[in-house]
Amino acid sequence: MVQAVYDSQFTHAACGVGFVCRLNGTPTHGIVTQGLQILANLAHRGAFACDADTGDGAGILLQMPDRFLRAAAGPEGIQLPAPGHYAAGSVFLPPDHQQQTACMHEVEAAIRREGQTVLGW
C-alpha cells in the first residue's frame, strides 16, 4: 500500500502544482513520465505557455545526472566531487562576447562569496 503525502486540510483553490517522487530515492523513467503527465494535466490551470515572451517556468526538476555530468566533465579536465557535493546551473548569457565575460565574472564572484568553487562552464 502506498502512503500518501497529501493532506486535504492544506488544499486551497489556487494555481495547479504537481509533485511526484519515489520516497526511496531510486531514479526511474516512470517518475519522469508521471511528471510530464502532470504538466499535461495542468495545462488547463495555466501551467502552460502563460507568457509567450519569457516562459512561465513550468517544467520538471530532475535528480543530478551524475554519470552524464562526469562523462561530460572529464574531457574538459573538470574533476567532480562525490555525488551530492556539487551543483550545476543554467546561466543565460548575452550574445555579445564582452558582456558574456563580464556576466561570467559576476556569477563566479557571487559563487565565491558563498564559499563555493566554480569547477567550470
Side-chain angles (χ1 to χ4, degrees), residues 19-89:
F19 181 84
V20 180
C21 74
R22 287 185 60 97
L23 295 178
N24 67 5
T26 304
T28 68
H29 184 69
I31 294 296
V32 174
T33 302
Q34 290 174 337
L36 293 173
Q37 185 62 55
I38 287 174
L39 284 176
N41 291 349
L42 291 177
H44 73 285
R45 297 293 304 271
F48 179 77
C50 296
D51 180 348
D53 293 331
T54 62
D56 57 15
I60 60 174
L61 179 64
L62 302 173
Q63 221 172 340
M64 290 284 285
D66 184 67
R67 283 188 302 182
F68 170 79
L69 292 173
R70 286 182 190 287
E76 298 296 320
I78 300 170
Q79 194 162 27
L80 296 178
H85 293 275
Y86 68 94

Side-chain angles (χ1 to χ4, degrees), residues 92-105:
F92 297 93
L93 298 169
D96 178 79
H97 180 70
Q98 286 182 324
Q99 291 177 344
Q100 281 181 11
T101 302
C103 289
M104 291 169 75
H105 287 300

Side-chain angles (χ1 to χ4, degrees), residues 104-118:
M104 291 169 75
H105 287 300
E106 287 297 321
V107 170
E108 289 179 11
I111 291 169
R112 284 192 300 277
R113 282 193 301 273
E114 293 297 321
Q116 302 300 315
T117 303
V118 176

Side-chain angles (χ1 to χ4, degrees), residues 1-5 23:
M1 182 169 161
V2 176
Q3 179 180 350
V5 293
L23 295 178

